[in-house]
Amino acid sequence: MSNDAGARELGRRAFLKGAATGTAAMATAAPGLAEARARTDEAAAPEAAVAAPPPNASQIARELSASPPASLTPLVTRPGSDLMVEVLKQMGVEFAAANPGSSFEALQESIVNYGDKPNTMPEFITCLHEETAVDMASGYGRAEGKPMVALLHGTLGLQHAAMAIYQAYYGGTPMLIIAGRDDGFIQAHTADDMAAMVRSFTKWDAHPKTLPEALAALQEGYRQATTAPTGPVVVVLDTEVQKEEAGDFAVPAYRPPVIAGLDAAAARRLAERLINAKNPRINVGRLRTPQGVRQAVQLAELIGASTSSQATVGPMSFPNRHASCGPGAATDYDFTLGLEIGPADVALMGPTIASIAATRDKMGVAFGGLRAKPSPPTAPLAPMAVKIGETIGLDAEASLPGLIAAVQILLTAERRDAIAKRAALTAAANRKANVEGVRKALTVKRTGWNSSPVSLARIYAELWPLIENEDWCLASPSVLSGSHHRELWAHNKPYSYLGLPPAGGIGYGAGACAGAGLAARERGRIIINIQTDGDMNYAPGALWTEAHHGLPVLSIMHNNRAWHQELMFLTFMAGARGRGTDRAHIGSTLRNPFIDYRKMAEAYGVAGEGPIEDPALLRAAFKRGIASVKAGRPYLIDVITQPR
Amino acid sequence: MSNDADTRKLVGRRGFLKGAAVAPAAMAVSAPELADAQTRVAVQAAAAASAGATAVPAPTPEQVARETSATPPQTPTPTVKVPGSDLMVEVLKRLGVEFCTSNPGSSFEALQESLVNYGDKPNTMPEFITCLHEETAVDMATGYGKAEGKPMVALLHGTLGLQHASMAIYQAYYGGVPMVIIAGRDDGFIQAHTANDMAAMVRSFTKWDAHPKTLPEALDVLQEAYRQAITAPTGPVVVILDTEIQKAEGAGVAIPTYRPPVIPGIDAATAERLAARLLAAKNPRLSVGKLRTPEGVKNAVKLAELVGASTATQSTSGPMSFPNRHPACGPGADTAYDFTLGLESGPADVAMMGPTIASIAALRDKMGVAFGGLRASPAPTTAPGGGGSKIGEKIDIDAEASLPALIAVVEKAMTPARRRAIADRVAKNAAANQKATVEGVHKALEAKRVGWNNSPVSLGRIYAELAPLIENEDWCLASPTAFSGSHHRDLWNHDKPYSYLGPQPAGGIGYGAGASAGAGLAARERKRIVINIQTDGDMNFAPGVLWTEAHHGLPVLSIMHNNRAWHQELMFLEFMAGARGRGTDRAHIGSTLRDPFIDYKKMAEAYGVAGEGPITDPNELAAAFKRGIASVKAGKPYLIDVITQPR
Amino acid sequence: MTLSSKLAIVFLALAAAFAGGASAQTAGDPARGKTLYFDHGCYGCHGYQGQTGARNLVGTNSPIIAKPEVFLFFLRQRGNFLPMIPSTAMPRFSEKALPDPQALDIYAYIKTFKLDAPDVASIPVMGQIEASAARAYQAGR
Amino acid sequence: MKIVIVSILALGFAAGGAVAAPAGGDPVRGKQLYYDHGCYGCHGYGGQTGAWNLVGTSSPIVNNAQAFLFFLRQRGGFSPMIPSLAMPRFSEAALPDAQALDIQAYIKTFKLDAPDVDSIPLMGQIEASAAKSYDPGK
């Protein structure tokens, strides 16, 4: 492709007329320079400007006849993309988030127009950046434990969303990514093997050649995404396959995956050890779906075991204020069962992304944490060596039904009341531990209570009484704002807290909260988003998507006016080198000018207030915010906060 | 790493600092206090201090002792006398790198500290430019590279930085824009941010990459990277710098002297041959495409004037081409050219065409992605941008590097008789070209007057109103213009190498805002102003670039082409819906920015950029543009929101 | 059915419409037409006042605009082709998507467009542009 | 070597601060320097939030001028390879003594204004909710 291919520029007038006849007559008389410009470009055409005299008879005839292009394709009555929408509908895909692109124009048209209730299940969600579309799918996937669709436009879409896809992979979040491919149009947007660019950080990908293959690939993609190790999958859909006539091809029925759990014998053995234990304990990590969490609660109640939970650090774990959750009456547990976590005498640990990393990483990138070489002990996020007796490499959630059934068989009358007695003691001990824990936490968190800029503990504390009786979901990563919710709030739902950005990538928070907002809107939930300023500034367009689709997201800015982690590191570096600690703010802070987040929100159509510097004003503002989001209108409150 | 690795986190608030000081020493985890660490850099190594949070009472004496003695970790790395990163900054300084755009990250904290604190005039040449997204950092480097024809540095944080900027890197590659990308690597810190071969992720769309293992090697690699970036085919290069090397001891390490690359031009024989044909021709013509540097453009003008050739230019559709209103530029007195010499462009009898990215694509694409336009199978003729133009003899040599030799031979062969004939031809061509220009403008204005008083505002009116206001300024139109009708091509005088920076190199939306800010960096140092006709879809990808413009005082006047849609998609979808005979009134779903409309003046003000609008009455344009130009000439970026006709 | 035969049929239908002075359709309502002109995206390619964009709807005596029947016929056209690559040509508006009464409302609204473009000479800024084009080239500036 | 420094320091205290006490700093200038050098970054604007409390403490580092200066100049000896959030070193070049004392003067103006738990109604509500028994529905 000659060097100046990019330099062709198309005149205004000609762009439409040229397009109509473009396909038929490509010969450019004068060297008409068409600018290969848009994500969806035009055919090159002579650039002479058209004068405005009235068209003569021959022009009218040509206009009317509109000589069809050489590649005449007969009218399509049942386009392939309609069947694709039907397949997604049958699998219960609620949303398809996308930044529009011509390579999936046919699929977008079907989503918007096909069916008796068009643009529902899946509903087309308009995003201002592909990164936001995939981060929304992450937020939704972590809250619901099942995939939604993110639509990306060819090579550019996959590149624009690369970091978001990497974080979904690292976090094992189920997601169905569809990349449109239009091999005959703008060449820079297509490639022979587009998915190769993201193969090393996706779980599975396919590039079907025909419509039947495409429908099967969408179903297999959904299965792969929801089977342990869950994660993002990519299906590349050519525009020809989307636009071709399906005729009377029937949509294949979807067969959900079968995930292997404990066999009956193993379940019985484990049930016996649980029943015979005097002081059994169950450590619950991150399960796959809300169904799994319900069964873990059922098992704990059946056995009267005390439990530990990850609910305060991520989704899909044991309700942390459940009567059985806590240290229990006595901490000398004689048998510990681990569900996707240690320490435990017996731990049910399903396969993780690390187990498939090598097969996917054909490029040999060898990401840290997924590569053969173990990560150094000093590295944060590195897996901590935790004592596990016997590890059973089976999916914990899939094993629970069998285990529960086995336990129920063994439950005799006197075992039931022994368990009941133990359960009562455990409940009382746990409640006492809860109350003490909160008391101790409050004594620490009261420092800086009335200080301005506002202390973060004050924000989390003021929020709790206002959301306690709401169906809330804290969707934003909280470690940068002190994670005060962990001691003060009750995390009793699978989606109470959606955890940190899986690969520690900043920019994930805004999109994830909007994605959780999609799930919330359909279920009468509200989303709490303690939004760090650095994270918001990558793709703030998520605010417009929240306004456009009426997502119930309350964003409270943790506005410390910096990428504060960097500021602290740089101050240390400058100190270590004995120079310019007063210049460490260069490049690591958002000063001069300060960004006005209320104005930014209002620019996107989101009601907002602030900046609030006086902590006494917080409660009233939060009340207004909660009222607004409960009425389906997102709301943003800018709070100037202590940096940590 | 188990599935719930992401739930194993760092330590709670209190512990995060105290723990950090002693972390390397004592890693034993008592109670597994799992806290979620999340930032790009995540907090220090976790040493789960005592489970309970410390109360507030006054520290006991031995706490004071421990505090003051601050037992250093087991492997105390003595502070270095001369940090390695200082030497890296010195290498960049001597290469003349003016700017280093970046979104901060811990994997290059040492290099950032040196950029900010090293040298008698710290944080100048290169100056650290703060961006809110890595994509913007690389797009700015692309805008600067297109305007100046030489590279600056973009600093990215590990795997996340390369991923976040990968579309912008792909566009720099596709457009052949010279740029040095440095990716920090901290293998001992957050594992998700590092990898053994990070550059593999972007190898198929970068020109060259290296991962030096020692400080001296790193200094050489930085110089080699600069050379690779500016040697044809120019393009983006990646250097991975480990934090160990940035923090290594640099005392005694010499900074290598930089040897600029020698880019081969035509040999003497070819120069003789071409000069002869140019001088023999009665009506010679030059076809000038996109050269590499402003130096090349100067020589092309010199050659045209010497041989009295009429010239064809691409300066109205991209940078580094022949000034389009130079007397030599245009059809000339007689369009029967008997010899046409092409410089990086056809149509031509003989064309000197340097190597393009396509020539190295296969070698770089180890993953087998095979991008369209760069793959073996030729682009289908229907594809836009696919058509090439007719070239007789193609000489695979860099045109710019060949010009000095060619000019020398022509000057030597000049005789008084030839000089007179040429002078006569030059005069005739100049008159003919002038007439053609004036006629062309009149015809264009005739067409563009339609819709002149329309509200929403016609795009022709915007470009026309700007023309007289910027005519006497040193301006650079940095934004792609195909969506706003490219009216500058007929109405404006493109007489500088940076007059118009051309389209998105790979047709990727989101490039425009960053490229304009990048051109603003070059403009700030050279008293230039940047005109940015900003489409709304493009602005909405990474609008944080407005803050960077305000923070660094970049002279960028952004005029919103606000048609409240990704309008190309709306038209395509309407056609699709029409073809399927359903819901053309629903084609706006997913392709428009309606309900609510975005207020770009308010968005600009949120980032600290002065703005006005939305303007719907075209008669208000001139006054608004005057205010805007005055503001940017005073070093303050300005945004004017104009509600426009969609096309 | 070959291409040329298709064209023949089109011409016959067209001729009939012109010659026969088909029954005047009931006049459309421009007010409703204005919202429909926006909803169906006509503004997208023809501009809000029919003067900008790809094809002028004002100051033209093309029969498509001149006669409502031809306008309706023209909207229903092009059912039979869908080029594989994205196109911004005139879309087809089927009866289902845009019933006749609504199409006539749009037609009525289009009839309200007037060419209000002043001529070049009366626009000062255009004069400045022409003057600058006529000026001699100074290398340095 | 470390132990020696500590002992000298201790002696300094024990000897009743025989060493000449440098002149007190100016809190107004100190406030700006506290911001410029990023002290707020880890200690909070009021010295109460963040990593290490500067308020309501009798630690000599905060209250004694030489100890404060000595503490700032400390830790020249190490820069760990991985990013660190520990107390940075503030060399004389970066932060001359006079300015350091200005900062100390400003730190001394901090007051522990945290009300105790029982006097904050909100905290009562939080404790009450913690005491509530688990209700699966909600």
Side-chain angles (χ1 to χ4, degrees):
Chain A
M1 187 188 79
S2 74
N3 206 344
D4 59 10
R8 282 195 179 71
E9 179 131 20
L10 181 73
R12 178 175 67 86
R13 267 295 169 202
F15 84 90
L16 267 181
K17 186 160 56 57
T21 54
T23 44
M26 244 321 277
T28 47
L33 305 176
E35 177 172 5
R37 57 198 159 100
R39 162 185 300 274
T40 51
D41 200 346
E42 282 315 315
E47 53 147 1
V50 168
N56 49 39
S58 65
Q59 276 175 329
I60 299 169
R62 206 189 65 241
E63 186 71 24
L64 286 183
S65 67
S67 53
S71 62
L72 172 66
T73 7
L75 179 65
V76 177
T77 51
R78 190 162 173 259
S81 50
D82 282 5
L83 277 70
M84 294 172 186
V85 172
E86 192 54 43
V87 162
L88 295 178
K89 206 181 281 292
Q90 283 170 11
M91 294 191 295
V93 172
E94 286 185 272
F95 299 102
N99 184 262
S102 64
S103 63
F104 50 81
E105 59 171 358
L107 185 53
Q108 179 169 349
E109 194 276 338
S110 291
I111 292 175
V112 162
N113 278 334
Y114 163 74
D116 42 15
K117 281 213 281 38
N119 200 29
T120 48
M121 191 69 82
E123 177 185 348
F124 193 93
I125 302 298
T126 317
C127 301
L128 271 54
H129 197 301
E130 289 89 344
E131 169 182 355
T132 305
V134 174
D135 279 338
M136 284 180 83
S138 273
Y140 176 91
R142 294 172 79 86
E144 293 307 304
K146 67 182 179 113
M148 64 177 257
V149 160
L151 271 167
L152 302 178
H153 169 74
T155 52
L156 301 181
L158 287 167
Q159 290 159 354
H160 237 188
M163 184 180 110
I165 296 173
Y166 177 66
Q167 296 223 78
Y169 179 67
Y170 224 89
T173 311
M175 178 187 307
L176 180 55
I177 295 171
I178 295 176
R181 177 172 181 273
D182 192 340
D183 212 40
F185 198 44
I186 302 176
Q187 291 303 290
H189 299 178
T190 180
D192 291 350
D193 182 5
M194 283 199 304
M197 287 193 289
V198 295
R199 189 155 291 137
S200 60
F201 42 93
T202 44
K203 182 185 171 192
W204 181 85
D205 66 78
H207 183 178
K209 293 291 176 252
T210 66
L211 180 58
E213 263 178 48
L215 301 179
L218 287 173
Q219 292 181 336
E220 181 56 24
Y222 195 90
R223 265 191 295 275
Q224 289 287 343
T226 49
T227 315
T230 55
V233 298
V234 177
V235 177
V236 178
L237 292 180
D238 281 296
T239 194
E240 291 79 7
V241 173
Q242 296 172 43
K243 292 179 177 173
E244 75 181 43
E245 174 59 74
D248 50 15
F249 182 79
V251 173
Y254 173 63
R255 285 170 294 90
V258 175
I259 300 170
L262 279 172
D263 57 38
R268 208 174 44 259
R269 275 200 309 284
L270 198 52
E272 269 148 20
R273 296 187 67 178
L274 279 169
I275 289 286
N276 297 335
K278 290 288 159 286
N279 185 7
R281 182 164 181 82
I282 303 178
N283 290 329
V284 182
R286 184 171 146 215
L287 302 173
R288 269 184 299 106
T289 68
Q291 173 67 4
V293 174
R294 273 194 297 280
Q295 285 165 341
V297 170
Q298 188 185 355
L299 181 65
E301 285 167 352
L302 271 174
I303 294 169
S306 69
T307 58
S308 81
S309 168
Q310 296 290 299
T312 61
V313 291
M316 300 297 158
S317 192
F318 203 90
N320 81 327
R321 289 271 174 87
H322 183 275
S324 69
C325 190
T331 54
D332 53 353
Y333 317 115
D334 50 359
F335 176 72
T336 305
L337 169 66
L339 302 177
E340 301 294 351
I341 193 166
D345 300 322
V346 172
L348 290 162
M349 308 271 279
T352 64
I353 291 287
S355 60
I356 62 165
T359 59
R360 295 295 296 170
D361 186 7
K362 298 205 172 56
M363 291 191 287
V365 179
F367 292 106
L370 300 176
R371 57 191 169 183
K373 180 173 80 144
S375 43
T378 56
L381 285 186
M384 297 182 190
V386 172
K387 190 177 59 52
I388 289 181
E390 176 203 353
T391 304
I392 303 175
L394 283 171
D395 186 71
E397 181 166 328
S399 311
L400 281 172
L403 192 52
I404 288 169
V407 163
Q408 279 165 336
I409 295 164
L410 295 173
L411 275 181
T412 59
E414 80 275 10
R415 274 199 179 125
R416 263 189 226 287
D417 46 37
I419 284 170
K421 263 203 255 42
R422 185 169 64 217
L425 288 174
T426 305
N430 288 342
R431 185 174 311 123
K432 195 158 94 45
N434 273 344
V435 173
E436 267 162 30
V438 167
R439 177 85 201 177
K440 200 137 58 76
L442 288 173
T443 48
V444 169
K445 296 184 191 306
R446 67 188 179 84
T447 53
W449 186 257
N450 292 318
S451 58
S452 164
V454 176
S455 113
L456 293 161
R458 180 75 184 257
I459 290 180
Y460 280 91
E462 291 282 0
L463 269 172
W464 179 238
L466 302 176
I467 63 171
E468 188 186 353
N469 301 320
E470 303 294 341
D471 187 359
W472 56 270
C473 161
L474 176 62
S476 56
S478 65
V479 78
L480 284 185
S481 48
S483 297
H484 300 290
H485 63 95
R486 300 185 49 219
E487 298 98 343
L488 302 184
W489 297 7
H491 302 67
N492 291 336
K493 293 284 172 35
Y495 47 78
S496 291
Y497 174 53
L498 299 189
L500 85 172
I506 298 292
Y508 156 87
C513 291
L518 286 177
R521 190 188 69 182
E522 307 300 303
R523 296 161 179 79
R525 245 181 251 160
I526 62 170
I527 300 296
I528 303 298
N529 168 22
I530 314 279
Q531 177 68 57
T532 52
D533 53 349
D535 182 291
M536 171 58 89
N537 278 313
Y538 284 96
L543 288 174
W544 182 81
T545 301
E546 286 170 12
H548 183 65
H549 292 288
L551 305 184
V553 179
L554 172 58
S555 298
I556 298 159
M557 292 304 296
H558 167 24
N559 186 359
N560 54 19
R561 291 168 161 162
W563 294 276
H564 196 70
Q565 205 65 21
E566 314 315 321
L567 175 62
M568 294 193 283
F569 284 141
L570 277 166
T571 313
F572 183 83
M573 272 309 305
R577 292 176 172 174
R579 56 189 186 187
T581 40
D582 56 351
R583 296 170 57 80
H585 65 83
I586 297 173
S588 63
T589 54
L590 288 159
R591 294 177 194 171
N592 147 34
F594 289 141
I595 295 178
D596 181 337
Y597 294 98
R598 181 181 60 75
K599 224 172 218 185
M600 179 194 285
E602 284 167 359
Y604 286 119
V606 171
E609 58 182 274
I612 293 179
E613 310 216 17
D614 171 6
L617 303 175
L618 287 180
R619 183 170 315 154
F622 290 164
K623 280 204 178 107
R624 285 190 291 275
I626 290 169
S628 169
V629 293
K630 283 179 77 173
R633 288 188 308 284
Y635 198 85
L636 183 138
I637 302 168
D638 186 6
V639 182
I640 308 301
T641 53
Q642 295 287 343
R644 284 291 183 275
Chain B
M1 193 184 78
S2 71
N3 194 355
D4 56 13
D6 60 350
T7 53
R8 283 201 177 68
K9 303 298 162 299
L10 275 245
V11 100
R13 181 175 64 83
R14 261 303 165 194
F16 86 95
L17 267 182
K18 189 156 51 59
V22 294
M27 242 322 277
V29 176
S30 52
E33 176 167 10
L34 306 175
D36 57 347
Q38 47 113 213
T39 63
R40 158 182 308 276
V41 154
V43 191
Q44 263 302 22
S50 57
T54 47
V56 175
T60 54
E62 90 291 319
Q63 269 179 331
V64 168
R66 201 191 64 238
E67 185 69 31
T68 46
S69 65
T71 45
Q74 269 136 0
T75 55
T77 9
T79 342
V80 292
K81 283 185 237 24
V82 174
S85 49
D86 282 6
L87 301 185
M88 295 173 183
V89 171
E90 188 57 36
V91 164
L92 296 178
K93 205 180 279 291
R94 293 183 190 174
L95 287 169
V97 172
E98 286 184 86
F99 299 102
C100 175
T101 48
S102 177
N103 185 258
S106 64
S107 62
F108 50 80
E109 59 171 359
L111 185 54
Q112 181 169 348
E113 195 276 337
S114 294
L115 282 165
V116 160
N117 279 333
Y118 163 74
D120 43 12
K121 284 214 281 27
N123 200 27
T124 46
M125 187 70 80
E127 175 186 349
F128 192 94
I129 302 296
T130 316
C131 303
L132 272 55
H133 196 303
E134 288 89 344
E135 169 182 354
T136 305
V138 174
D139 279 339
M140 286 180 81
T142 304
Y144 175 91
K146 278 184 160 190
E148 294 307 305
K150 66 181 179 117
M152 58 177 260
V153 164
L155 245 177
L156 303 178
H157 170 72
T159 53
L160 300 181
L162 286 168
Q163 290 159 354
H164 235 189
S166 56
M167 184 179 109
I169 296 172
Y170 177 65
Q171 297 222 76
Y173 179 68
Y174 221 89
V177 180
M179 174 191 310
V180 174
I181 295 170
I182 295 176
R185 177 173 182 272
D186 192 343
D187 212 39
F189 198 54
I190 301 178
Q191 293 302 289
H193 299 179
T194 179
N196 294 354
D197 181 6
M198 289 200 306
M201 288 192 289
V202 293
R203 188 157 292 136
S204 61
F205 43 93
T206 45
K207 183 187 169 189
W208 183 86
D209 66 81
H211 183 174
K213 293 292 176 246
T214 66
L215 178 58
E217 190 192 338
L219 303 182
D220 287 334
V221 157
L222 284 172
Q223 290 186 344
E224 179 55 23
Y226 194 87
R227 266 192 295 273
Q228 288 287 342
I230 58 174
T231 315
T234 55
V237 296
V238 177
V239 177
I240 310 285
L241 291 180
D242 283 295
T243 197
E244 289 77 8
I245 297 179
Q246 295 171 43
K247 295 178 180 175
E249 174 59 71
V253 176
I255 298 205
T257 43
Y258 173 62
R259 285 168 291 90
V262 175
I263 300 171
I266 47 174
D267 53 33
T270 320
E272 298 287 345
R273 181 162 63 89
L274 292 180
R277 295 199 61 179
L278 279 170
L279 289 172
K282 287 288 161 289
N283 184 12
R285 185 164 180 80
L286 291 183
S287 196
V288 180
K290 179 160 154 306
L291 303 173
R292 268 184 300 109
T293 68
E295 193 51 35
V297 176
K298 265 201 227 79
N299 285 334
V301 170
K302 194 170 171 192
L303 180 64
E305 287 165 350
L306 259 175
V307 298
S310 65
T311 55
T313 180
Q314 286 175 13
S315 61
T316 62
S317 48
M320 301 297 163
S321 192
F322 204 92
N324 76 326
R325 287 199 183 164
H326 183 278
C329 188
D334 163 10
T335 55
Y337 317 115
D338 48 4
F339 174 68
T340 305
L341 174 66
L343 306 177
E344 302 293 352
S345 163
D349 301 319
V350 176
M352 294 185 283
M353 307 276 280
T356 64
I357 290 287
S359 60
I360 61 165
L363 153 79
R364 295 294 296 172
D365 185 10
K366 296 198 174 56
M367 289 193 284
V369 180
F371 292 105
L374 301 176
R375 55 190 168 181
S377 62
T381 49
T382 57
S389 38
K390 197 174 53 47
I391 291 175
E393 176 202 354
K394 180 165 178 288
I395 307 176
D396 288 320
I397 201 81
D398 186 69
E400 178 167 328
S402 312
L403 282 173
L406 188 53
I407 289 170
V409 170
V410 165
E411 275 166 342
K412 204 148 52 23
M414 198 54 81
T415 61
R418 276 197 179 124
R419 239 186 259 288
R420 271 195 309 284
I422 287 172
D424 169 44
R425 188 166 62 225
V426 162
K428 281 208 213 73
N429 279 344
N433 289 337
Q434 177 91 53
K435 195 157 108 7
T437 302
V438 171
E439 270 164 23
V441 165
H442 185 74
K443 203 145 68 69
L445 289 174
E446 199 51 53
K448 298 185 197 306
R449 70 181 180 82
V450 177
W452 186 257
N453 291 319
N454 275 174
S455 166
V457 177
S458 109
L459 294 162
R461 176 82 183 251
I462 289 180
Y463 281 90
E465 292 282 3
L466 271 171
L469 301 178
I470 62 170
E471 193 185 345
N472 302 319
E473 302 296 341
D474 187 359
W475 54 267
C476 162
L477 175 59
S479 56
T481 57
F483 280 169
S484 46
S486 302
H487 300 290
H488 64 97
R489 306 184 54 204
D490 322 316
L491 303 184
W492 295 8
N493 175 8
H494 303 68
D495 62 349
K496 293 284 183 355
Y498 46 78
S499 289
Y500 174 53
L501 299 189
Q504 305 93 339
I509 303 294
Y511 152 88
S516 302
L521 286 178
R524 190 188 70 183
E525 307 302 303
R526 297 162 179 80
K527 296 287 164 288
R528 247 182 248 157
I529 62 171
V530 172
I531 304 295
N532 167 27
I533 313 282
Q534 178 65 58
T535 51
D536 54 347
D538 181 291
M539 170 58 86
N540 277 313
F541 281 96
V545 68
L546 290 172
W547 181 81
T548 300
E549 286 171 9
H551 184 66
H552 291 288
L554 304 184
V556 179
L557 172 58
S558 297
I559 298 161
M560 292 305 295
H561 165 25
N562 185 2
N563 54 18
R564 291 168 160 167
W566 294 278
H567 196 70
Q568 204 66 21
E569 312 317 318
L570 175 61
M571 296 193 284
F572 283 142
L573 277 166
E574 249 154 58
F575 185 82
M576 276 306 305
R580 294 176 173 176
R582 58 187 187 189
T584 41
D585 57 349
R586 298 172 56 80
H588 66 82
I589 297 173
S591 63
T592 54
L593 288 160
R594 293 178 196 171
D595 168 29
F597 290 141
I598 295 177
D599 181 338
Y600 295 98
K601 172 175 108 63
K602 206 168 239 187
M603 177 193 284
E605 284 168 354
Y607 287 117
V609 170
E612 58 181 276
I615 292 178
T616 49
D617 173 2
N619 300 320
E620 292 169 10
L621 289 179
F625 290 165
K626 284 199 186 85
R627 284 191 291 276
I629 291 169
S631 169
V632 293
K633 283 177 76 173
K636 290 197 293 301
Y638 200 82
L639 182 138
I640 302 168
D641 185 4
V642 182
I643 307 302
T644 52
Q645 297 286 344
R647 284 292 186 273
Chain C
M1 197 165 69
T2 62
L3 199 61
S4 52
S5 57
K6 263 198 205 143
L7 293 184
I9 296 169
V10 162
F11 271 103
L12 284 175
L14 181 64
F18 283 4
S23 63
Q25 310 288 24
T26 51
D29 161 18
R32 274 205 312 276
K34 183 172 187 192
T35 38
L36 289 166
Y37 185 85
F38 182 71
D39 288 347
H40 283 276
C42 314
Y43 79 94
C45 301
H46 297 291
Y48 287 89
Q49 286 83 26
Q51 297 189 52
T52 52
R55 171 66 66 199
N56 250 347
L57 300 180
V58 75
T60 162
N61 42 33
S62 138
I64 307 172
I65 307 290
K67 284 203 173 52
E69 314 77 38
V70 180
F71 180 73
L72 288 179
F73 179 84
F74 178 59
L75 291 188
R76 310 312 183 199
Q77 270 265 330
R78 287 170 311 291
N80 53 14
F81 86 89
L82 163 67
M84 192 42 71
I85 64 165
S87 155
T88 52
M90 176 71 181
R92 177 176 76 111
F93 293 89
S94 63
E95 281 81 357
K96 199 158 71 67
L98 183 68
D100 282 2
Q102 292 187 358
L104 290 172
D105 290 340
I106 292 180
Y107 180 76
Y109 177 60
I110 289 175
K111 296 297 275 182
T112 63
F113 290 156
K114 271 183 268 358
L115 180 62
D116 57 8
D119 37 23
V120 174
S122 71
I123 303 174
V125 101
M126 286 201 170
Q128 288 168 318
I129 294 174
E130 293 197 292
S132 125
R135 210 168 291 127
Y137 176 79
Q138 302 125 336
R141 225 255 349 99
Chain D
M1 223 292 276
K2 272 278 160 287
I3 305 102
V4 171
I5 298 176
V6 169
S7 46
I8 297 170
L9 181 68
L11 273 175
F13 294 167
V19 173
D26 160 19
V28 173
R29 277 204 309 275
K31 179 172 186 183
Q32 184 57 44
L33 290 163
Y34 186 84
Y35 182 70
D36 291 346
H37 284 275
C39 315
Y40 77 95
C42 301
H43 297 293
Y45 288 91
Q48 298 186 63
T49 52
W52 200 264
N53 239 330
L54 301 180
V55 78
T57 165
S58 57
S59 142
I61 305 171
V62 173
N63 300 308
N64 177 299
Q66 299 97 339
F68 183 70
L69 289 177
F70 182 84
F71 177 61
L72 292 188
R73 310 312 182 200
Q74 271 263 334
R75 286 168 313 287
F78 84 111
S79 73
M81 191 43 69
I82 59 171
S84 158
L85 291 174
M87 176 72 180
R89 178 177 75 111
F90 294 89
S91 63
E92 281 82 351
L95 182 66
D97 285 3
Q99 291 184 1
L101 293 175
D102 290 342
I103 292 181
Q104 188 176 36
Y106 176 59
I107 289 174
K108 287 200 175 117
T109 63
F110 291 155
K111 270 183 273 352
L112 177 62
D113 57 9
D116 43 27
V117 176
D118 299 333
S119 70
I120 305 175
L122 171 68
M123 293 205 167
Q125 289 168 326
I126 295 175
E127 289 191 292
S129 118
K132 230 177 271 152
S133 62
Y134 174 71
D135 159 10
K138 214 211 30 45

